[in-house]
Amino acid sequence: MPNGDNWQGDVLRDLRGGAEPPVRDAAVPAGQAPAQGFPPPGGEVPVPALGPGGQPQGAAVPTGQAAGSALGHPYQGQVPPQHSGGGQPARHPQAAVRSTPDSRPAVDRSLAAVGRKPRSGEPFAARAARALWRIVSSSASREVAEATRTAEMLQQPVTTGRQIAVTSIRGGAGKSTVAALLGTTYAHYRQDPVLFVEADPALGSLPVRLGAEDLRWTTGDVADIVAPQMSLLDVTGYLVQLHDNAWLLPGSQGQIGAMLDTRAYERAMVALRRYFGVTVVDCETLPAEVARVALSAAQARVLTTPATLDGVASTYAVLQWMQSLPAHVIGGTVVVLTEQAPHSGIDLDEAVRTLRSTGTNVHVLPYDRHLADGGTILTGLLAHATRTAATRIAADVFQLSQKRH
């Protein structure tokens, strides 16, 4: 992109045919301290008044920090200090007022008995056979060397937050599952914060896959609340905390009819990008408008498709269309074929070769009993082949995201 410090602004301006992007980071006047403090949990949240183009009036970046630079928070690599309160943020005279939403369970409590005990991703016999094979073969050292190389790729530093969009052409392609696996992998290997954003408000399954229990603030809510003067500790007060320094911003509270427009998505992503090293966005299925904007603004894209004949055929048609777009679009796209049954009804090797002929990287996520159950993903129960594939996919996608500044 022509401007490495504002790559999203450039993309969004291009999408509008040269119009200015809706949000830009602004600098703080010298000597002005950034605002601190969460609004009271049961009170009202002041929403900054928006100026021309959707920019919050009075928005600012902490002194001495360039807009869009190096994640923009002072706690990277160390435990943030305890929040001291700081009181209610100053209310702008023209600010709107938003009431704090009530928490809702990610899964209705009455359905708690429906889920069974989580299963291991592979049968005991398969696990025993693999353990024996590692003892009698010489492959263990090669696996360790490959795992070390992959970890090094995943731990590379970033200058600006990487945003990775995951989508599919149709529902049931494993989109949310792949997004959860990618973000979980980044959170495990990286020291900087990782954010999951659900840009699919239509009863998306990402919170369930990540084990979130209660949901409150959504992407649409946070778009009007987060301001550049907030600290990381302020921002995470509106998010669902997960394991391994990761957070979730859900798309809805599991309510039918929830909406997310492109302007709200743009404001949320531009406001949040400097706080997190990697952001994984679980998009709507194509050709939804928010999904198109998310794919255009992201630095890497993942297109999931079921390992079926119709899934491969429709994905191949989309990739051929993408070849007519700027080269970085298809060059920064990874296709993930998800096996949803123990034995695929297609020739996977041939399918991979066909899809790779369009210039994209292609991976296969093998069938896994644990993933097939559809509940919370517990990495300790994943099959060895699934963990290996997920790590390789995450490393490949992250490498592509680093090539686009």
Side-chain angles (χ1 to χ4, degrees):
M1 300 302 292
N3 185 351
D5 289 333
N6 194 16
W7 58 269
Q8 276 188 318
D10 294 327
V11 171
L12 298 175
R13 183 173 62 251
D14 294 341
L15 290 174
R16 290 177 170 75
E20 288 298 315
V23 179
R24 286 188 181 273
D25 296 336
V28 158
Q32 178 177 336
Q36 299 289 334
F38 294 134
E44 296 177 334
V45 179
V47 180
L50 301 181
Q55 168 71 12
Q57 295 182 5
V61 173
T63 304
Q65 178 182 312
S69 66
L71 305 186
H73 64 80
Y75 307 135
Q76 182 176 351
Q78 55 184 303
V79 178
Q82 294 296 320
H83 186 56
S84 59
Q88 178 91 356
R91 179 174 298 179
H92 193 279
Q94 299 179 357
V97 174
R98 180 186 297 273
S99 298
T100 302
D102 296 328
S103 293
R104 293 178 178 268
V107 178
D108 195 296
R109 308 297 189 205
S110 63
L111 299 176
V114 174
R116 299 186 305 177
K117 180 180 179 181
R119 294 187 298 172
S120 174
E122 56 187 346
F124 173 78
R127 298 197 302 272
R130 180 170 51 81
L132 179 61
W133 172 253
R134 293 191 64 185
I135 293 175
V136 300
S137 71
S138 59
S139 62
S141 59
R142 291 196 299 271
E143 289 184 8
V144 171
E146 181 179 358
T148 301
R149 289 193 299 270
T150 303
E152 290 175 351
M153 288 190 290
L154 289 168
Q155 293 170 350
Q156 291 179 4
V158 296
T159 54
T160 57
R162 308 287 95 176
Q163 295 187 356
I164 297 166
V166 183
T167 189
S168 62
I169 301 171
R170 63 189 66 185
K175 170 177 62 69
S176 296
T177 298
V178 171
L181 289 173
L182 290 179
T184 300
T185 302
Y186 297 133
H188 174 73
Y189 281 96
R190 300 189 60 80
Q191 296 296 319
D192 44 23
V194 173
L195 176 65
F196 295 87
V197 173
E198 188 180 38
D200 183 1
L203 299 179
S205 60
L206 184 62
V208 176
R209 297 304 249 166
L210 294 173
E213 296 182 359
D214 296 296
L215 309 176
R216 175 171 288 184
W217 302 98
T218 67
T219 305
D221 297 326
V222 170
D224 295 327
I225 294 174
V226 175
Q229 68 265 25
M230 289 183 172
S231 69
L232 174 65
L233 200 58
D234 290 331
V235 171
T236 55
Y238 298 101
L239 309 177
V240 179
Q241 186 168 8
L242 305 171
H243 298 290
D244 291 330
N245 204 28
W247 282 267
L248 165 67
L249 179 58
S252 71
Q253 292 182 316
Q255 296 175 312
I256 295 176
M259 299 296 292
L260 176 64
D261 59 66
T262 57
R263 291 185 180 276
Y265 174 80
E266 292 164 4
R267 292 199 304 273
M269 296 304 290
V270 173
L272 292 170
R273 66 178 181 180
R274 69 191 187 93
Y275 297 98
F276 300 92
V278 180
T279 299
V280 178
V281 185
D282 182 12
C283 303
E284 296 176 283
T285 56
L286 292 171
E289 185 177 6
V290 173
R292 295 200 307 270
V293 172
L295 291 174
S296 300
Q299 293 160 311
R301 288 152 294 279
V302 179
L303 186 61
T304 65
T305 182
T308 59
L309 180 58
D310 60 335
V312 172
S314 56
T315 300
Y316 184 63
V318 169
L319 293 176
Q320 287 181 312
W321 168 76
M322 290 176 65
Q323 288 180 316
S324 64
L325 301 177
H328 75 268
V329 176
I330 196 165
T333 300
V334 172
V335 175
V336 178
L337 283 167
T338 59
E339 287 191 282
Q340 301 178 351
H343 304 287
S344 299
I346 62 172
D347 185 335
L348 278 177
D349 293 335
E350 183 60 31
V352 169
R353 281 194 295 269
T354 300
L355 295 176
R356 281 180 178 169
S357 66
T358 62
T360 57
N361 294 352
V362 183
H363 293 268
V364 176
L365 184 66
Y367 172 76
D368 187 292
R369 296 191 312 175
H370 180 62
L371 295 180
D373 288 342
T376 300
I377 296 177
L378 305 176
T379 54
L381 293 181
L382 293 174
H384 176 74
T386 304
R387 292 197 300 270
T388 301
T391 305
R392 288 174 178 171
I393 296 169
D396 191 9
V397 174
F398 185 73
Q399 285 292 97
L400 292 179
S401 74
Q402 291 282 66
K403 295 179 181 179
R404 184 181 175 194
H405 303 288

